[in-house]
Amino acid sequence: MVDMSATIIHHGHIRLLKKAFEYGDIIVGLTTDQEIINVKGYKPELDYDSRKEILESIKYVLQVVPTSWKINNSILEKYKIDYLVHGDDNFNKIKRDKLLIFPRTEGVSSSELRIKSSDIVNKVKRNILLNPGPATTTDTVKLAQIVPDICPREKEFGLILNEISEDLTSFVADKDNYSTILFGASGTAAIESILSSVLPKKNKIIIVNNGSYGDRMCKIASRYNLSYVEFKSSKISAIDVLKLEETIKTIKNISHIALVHNETTTGLLNDIEEIGTLAKKYKLELILDAMSSYGAIPINMEDLNISYLAASSNKNLQGLPGVSFVIAKNDSLKNLKNVQQLSYYLSLKEQYDYFKANLQTRFTPPVQTLYALKQAIIEAKTESIEKRYDRYKKSWRTLIEGINKLGLKYIVDKKTHSKIITAINLPDHIKFQELHDYFYLRGITIYPGKIDEFNTFRIANIGAINYNDINEFLFHLNSFLILKFK
Ligand SMILES: *Cc1c(COP(=O)(O)O)cnc(C)c1O
């Protein structure tokens, strides 16, 4: 028996049948229409009788019989089956000696074909976003937004939120000792939530500022009247950790330290291992803005002594914008009961407590964005964080080789570079807007620079893109430069 639903028949089915045919006569166990509706949630394009008719005319097939989604031993007995043949995604509970497993044909499945041929997706043009998020998304993530309307206070949705939270935690920590707290907002909300929720009144926090996002944390701290010390550091080279340590020693009642992991301003990657060691030595709670590193650069919160980490749905996770989240150590969250919450909406403690008690966010979450995030997480797990970073790094090397050839320079040395976002010097006679518009017409979005000292533009190599897209960018950049230098 070969079991399939064959909703859209393709060469993967044929190859499997052909292989199975080498072992004997084939009875196809064909999933009924009702089972497909129940399990997969859609009505098959071709009904059972049509699918049966097609299969029966394939020369390898002897007979087609209706079956449930999963095949069990009693079905095998009923049709006197010797072996169940399945692709290597088998989840049927069948005795091992009755199973024949073959590798699936790569790059094809009915679900993928369904999405590829979907009217909705085909009407959406693929843009290449080289801005540092929201990043280019896959069609499957785009499509995942389209779901039946649902009230987010339903248990069904609560379970999805819970699964999302646990998965987000699992990328960087063990989910028994760390938790994810979700907010319906852009990434800055997660940072603001931490800063306004974790610092006891009498305590001080040191904030490392070596770019716009470190600067933003200082501005937030200032807005909430926190007792903070700003530690200014070069925007283009590594933090002087000895100097940082000396500063920490002089601050009375210091209990927290905050910094950005990958400074999106330049792509400067701060050494969080060194800072984590420092945090441990001085018993400081470490707050990390990992917005543009999470999901690509592997992070282990426990090893690095990170108490609070902030990230969002639309950067390396390759989801849609609208969800930001804090991942925190449960022990740190427990201690918040004595800390005054300075924001009502963004209270980390209240959002955490409320979700734990009710499996709901306190306020309306972006429902459809969360469904898309769920799909984005599946895709991140399938690819793995390490492989995703490898893909990004390959794009980055392509970018650097390309701009070198064109005689352009980039800021921040390779050693301290995140290989995720790059600030590239813009020749003086070129206006960013002109360059932007040239690319935008061609379906590519580039991003302005953010450092006053240099005339730059930025290229992020994140999202559902690869080095071929970077080559396309380089091709157009070359044409543009030729045009300008004529
Ligand atoms: C993107 C980003 C943020 C958050 O920006 P939002 O526009 O609020 O999503 C914060 N910090 C860093 C380092 C970032 O790259």
Side-chain angles (χ1 to χ4, degrees):
M1 172 169 279
V2 182
D3 67 306
M4 51 178 64
S5 50
T7 46
I8 300 175
I9 295 194
H10 51 73
H11 57 288
H13 295 116
I14 302 296
R15 289 186 195 175
L16 185 63
L17 291 170
K18 190 174 176 180
K19 277 200 203 111
F21 188 65
E22 291 171 17
Y23 292 80
D25 293 330
I26 297 179
I27 295 183
V28 170
L30 186 62
T31 319
T32 61
D33 294 341
Q34 195 54 51
E35 270 285 284
I36 292 174
I37 292 168
N38 293 348
V39 178
K40 298 286 250 182
Y42 61 81
K43 201 166 157 254
E45 290 82 352
L46 299 173
D47 66 9
Y48 178 85
D49 288 337
S50 317
R51 291 181 283 127
K52 181 172 189 268
E53 187 180 331
I54 297 170
L55 283 164
E56 278 175 347
S57 69
I58 293 172
K59 67 180 174 191
Y60 309 116
V61 176
L62 182 71
Q63 195 190 345
V64 176
V65 298
T67 58
S68 49
W69 177 256
K70 287 199 180 176
I71 303 293
N72 52 36
N73 288 310
S74 72
I75 296 176
L76 299 192
E77 275 160 34
K78 180 173 170 189
Y79 294 104
K80 301 191 170 55
I81 304 293
D82 296 312
Y83 295 109
L84 179 74
V85 174
H86 202 94
D88 49 15
D89 56 344
N90 177 64
F91 46 72
N92 295 303
K93 290 206 173 69
I94 297 291
K95 289 183 210 123
R96 189 64 194 89
D97 61 348
K98 289 228 144 198
L99 259 182
L100 285 176
I101 303 282
F102 296 117
R104 284 177 65 93
T105 304
E106 270 190 38
V108 63
S109 76
S110 298
S111 333
E112 270 169 47
L113 288 174
R114 178 167 295 107
I115 287 160
K116 274 189 198 158
S117 58
S118 134
D119 227 27
I120 304 168
V121 168
N122 283 331
K123 280 185 189 137
V124 180
K125 174 173 157 249
R126 177 178 184 263
N127 283 330
I128 301 171
L129 297 188
L130 302 179
N131 50 298
T136 305
T137 55
T138 59
D139 288 344
T140 28
V141 164
K142 288 184 189 77
L143 202 62
Q145 299 170 81
I146 303 166
V147 288
D149 296 321
I150 183 169
C151 170
R153 305 227 176 266
E154 289 299 329
K155 181 153 182 239
E156 181 187 339
F157 190 72
L159 293 173
I160 290 177
L161 284 185
N162 197 45
E163 190 186 324
I164 290 174
S165 304
E166 291 191 354
D167 282 344
L168 292 174
T169 308
S170 298
F171 283 131
V172 291
D174 106 62
K175 64 180 167 54
D176 294 329
N177 298 314
Y178 293 76
S179 303
T180 292
I181 300 103
L182 300 166
F183 290 96
S186 87
T188 305
I191 313 272
E192 187 153 340
S193 169
I194 299 172
L195 290 174
S196 66
S197 303
V198 306
L199 191 70
K201 226 174 180 163
K202 292 196 189 90
N203 291 9
K204 286 209 171 79
I205 178 171
I206 186 165
I207 302 174
V208 178
N209 176 356
N210 55 356
S212 307
Y213 295 93
D215 191 56
R216 185 178 292 179
M217 287 205 275
C218 291
K219 289 200 171 99
I220 294 170
S222 157
R223 190 61 64 91
Y224 285 97
N225 281 322
L226 303 184
S227 310
Y228 74 97
V229 174
E230 177 176 1
F231 182 82
K232 276 215 165 194
S233 177
S234 159
K235 284 177 188 156
I236 56 173
S237 53
I239 298 169
D240 183 344
V241 181
L242 283 178
K243 199 170 143 203
L244 178 61
E245 180 165 5
E246 288 311 311
T247 312
I248 289 171
K249 280 188 199 162
T250 64
I251 308 168
K252 259 199 210 145
N253 291 333
I254 181 171
S255 58
H256 290 71
I257 178 168
L259 88 159
V260 176
H261 189 195
N262 171 25
E263 230 325 329
T264 315
T265 316
T266 52
L268 178 64
L269 187 66
N270 288 320
D271 186 340
I272 47 172
E273 214 174 304
E274 279 188 310
I275 310 281
T277 309
L278 213 56
K280 191 169 189 179
K281 184 168 169 193
Y282 292 92
K283 297 199 170 58
L284 305 179
E285 297 232 68
L286 174 54
I287 299 167
L288 188 71
D289 173 352
M291 212 69 60
S292 60
S293 56
Y294 178 95
I297 303 179
I299 296 171
N300 182 317
M301 287 183 69
E302 193 177 355
D303 292 353
L304 297 165
N305 299 305
I306 301 165
S307 300
Y308 302 97
L309 178 151
S312 69
S313 52
N314 59 65
K315 289 187 171 170
N316 306 327
L317 271 178
Q318 302 181 182
L320 297 167
V323 178
S324 67
F325 52 92
V326 175
I327 305 178
K329 205 164 144 182
N330 291 347
D331 288 343
S332 303
L333 289 168
K334 275 190 204 116
N335 288 333
L336 295 185
K337 66 176 187 293
N338 304 315
V339 184
Q340 194 191 350
Q341 302 292 290
L342 301 178
S343 166
Y344 176 70
Y345 194 84
L346 295 175
S347 164
L348 190 62
K349 180 188 175 307
E350 283 171 59
Q351 189 82 341
Y352 172 64
D353 289 346
Y354 192 88
F355 186 74
K356 240 175 61 166
N358 306 297
L359 277 197
Q360 292 173 16
T361 51
R362 282 158 77 216
F363 309 107
T364 312
V367 175
Q368 286 73 10
T369 297
L370 283 154
Y371 278 100
L373 179 56
K374 181 171 180 273
Q375 176 62 26
I377 289 170
I378 292 172
E379 292 172 23
K381 282 205 261 184
T382 308
E383 183 174 22
S384 89
I385 302 297
E386 286 78 11
K387 291 249 171 65
R388 176 160 295 184
Y389 197 27
D390 287 345
R391 171 164 60 84
Y392 287 2
K393 284 190 280 195
K394 184 166 183 183
S395 293
W396 187 76
R397 286 193 300 271
T398 308
L399 174 71
I400 298 307
E401 277 165 30
I403 61 165
N404 277 344
K405 265 190 207 148
L406 295 173
L408 298 177
K409 297 238 175 310
Y410 67 100
I411 291 171
V412 174
D413 194 57
K414 209 171 177 171
K415 286 201 309 291
T416 41
H417 202 291
S418 66
K419 303 175 175 65
I420 279 182
I421 174 144
T422 309
I424 301 168
N425 281 313
L426 201 58
D428 284 336
H429 65 294
I430 294 172
K431 295 234 171 352
F432 171 76
Q433 196 58 41
E434 192 186 357
L435 186 66
H436 167 275
D437 295 352
Y438 182 85
F439 275 107
Y440 192 73
L441 262 179
R442 290 157 176 82
I444 297 176
T445 302
I446 63 168
Y447 211 55
K450 223 179 186 179
I451 16 179
D452 302 333
E453 300 90 316
F454 308 94
N455 183 27
T456 58
F457 69 105
R458 283 181 290 170
I459 294 298
N461 45 280
I462 64 171
I465 61 169
N466 65 23
Y467 69 99
N468 291 320
D469 298 302
I470 299 294
N471 276 328
E472 192 178 328
F473 159 77
L474 291 166
F475 170 82
H476 292 306
L477 183 61
N478 183 35
S479 313
F480 178 84
L481 291 175
I482 290 171
L483 213 72
K484 291 302 287 183
F485 279 108
K486 246 196 207 151

